[in-house]
Amino acid sequence: MADTELQELAESIFGDAASSDTGFDAPLWSTLEETGLARLTLPAGAGGSEGTFADAAVVLAAAGRHAARVPLVETDLLAGWLLHAAGVDVPAGALTAVAGDLEVDGGRVRGQLARVPWTRAAAALAVLTPTRVVLLAPGTLTITDGANLAEEPRDAVAVDGEAVAVAPAPDGAAGELRVRAALGRAQLLAGAASGALAATVRYAGERVQFGRPIGRFQAVQQQLAEAGAEVAAASAAASAAAGAATADGMAAASTRFAVAAAKARTGEAAGTVARIAHQVHGAIGFTREHDLRLWTTRLWAWRDEDGSDAEWNAEVGAAALAAGPAGLWPLVTGSP
């Protein structure tokens, strides 16, 4: 499917489902399953559509732009990949995944997991321990409800029961799981920043002060231009990371560097765009009744999830130092 067709499809699906509710959007998830977008990058043998990471970037950006309430990253890029890579059959339904240290004795599993995303909506939970991949059904989980700032589920989970499956962890799984999560989060951040900017430009054109829309005032125009530049930079960084993953594979050092830069850059943009959006909206933007919160709370929450700006910037810096003077330009440009 061409990028334009995929983008039109994603915009149509997420646009029709957009709402200010919280919690899992089951009808939207059903539509994503029917259209093959829920498991876009997984192979056909795992129930996937065999799409690329660039395809996933298009869909995730649209999901962020419309504040979709579904575990796309968790199902497709994380749990589905992890289980398939470990040789475990990927179950149907929404999935979630987390890295954690569980006590595994044969098929019996016990332990505690913190801030697991979307557990309440998931048909199964995949856990990457230091040595194993464990697939757990909801019946083995005791969930204590939690949430991030955007009111997305981030639950505390107590595990005690028989696993559906236990398999050896693939080589390098921990590192790749972290990069995959950061890549997905960067796409969502870029999309949410775009959504916040669009809402702010729209409001600036509608809100009249001193006899004219506030968007005609130079100070407001300057703020909108700054936010627009941040959105462009975030989108470019996220797109470059998805392109690197598609071209070089997720395990490549070039992909890890591009993802580190993308997660840091989209996180930085998130703070600036959210600040300007609220400055332009004024007090009304801080009310729960106003839709601006759908984007800004996600920007604030997601920039600290799957590695903060400081963590990924440190990785970018370390890679630059390791490359040395001769290798810096090829590292930054991706050239040989």
Side-chain angles (χ1 to χ4, degrees), residues 74-255:
E74 291 78 10
T75 299
D76 184 24
L77 295 185
L78 303 184
W81 163 77
L82 182 62
L83 293 170
H84 181 69
V88 177
D89 289 340
V90 181
L95 306 173
T96 189
V98 68
D101 195 0
L102 298 175
E103 178 186 340
V104 182
D105 183 9
R108 186 81 181 182
V109 184
R110 296 184 181 85
Q112 303 287 329
L113 301 169
R115 294 187 61 79
V116 182
W118 297 103
T119 323
R120 283 164 271 165
L125 164 63
V127 181
L128 176 63
T129 76
T131 58
R132 298 178 178 88
V133 172
V134 181
L135 177 61
L136 299 166
T140 62
L141 312 177
T142 301
I143 300 170
T144 302
D145 292 356
N148 64 10
L149 188 61
E151 299 182 89
E152 296 177 309
R154 298 293 186 268
D155 303 323
V157 178
V159 181
D160 189 358
E162 291 291 323
V164 175
V166 177
D171 292 340
E176 182 164 342
L177 188 72
R178 183 169 181 263
V179 172
R180 283 172 165 269
L183 175 63
R185 197 65 57 193
Q187 309 305 330
L188 290 172
L189 278 164
S194 174
L197 175 62
T200 304
V201 170
R202 185 165 56 249
Y203 179 79
E206 297 169 349
R207 177 74 169 93
V208 175
Q209 190 74 17
F210 305 112
R212 56 178 173 165
I214 63 173
R216 293 186 184 176
F217 290 96
Q218 186 177 17
V220 175
Q221 291 174 351
Q222 288 175 332
Q223 286 186 305
L224 293 176
E226 182 183 354
E230 289 295 311
V231 169
S235 298
S239 178
T246 298
D248 303 337
M250 191 61 73
S254 56
T255 297

Side-chain angles (χ1 to χ4, degrees), residues 275-287:
R275 170 178 58 78
I276 291 173
H278 279 289
Q279 286 175 338
V280 173
H281 277 81
I284 193 173
F286 285 95
T287 62

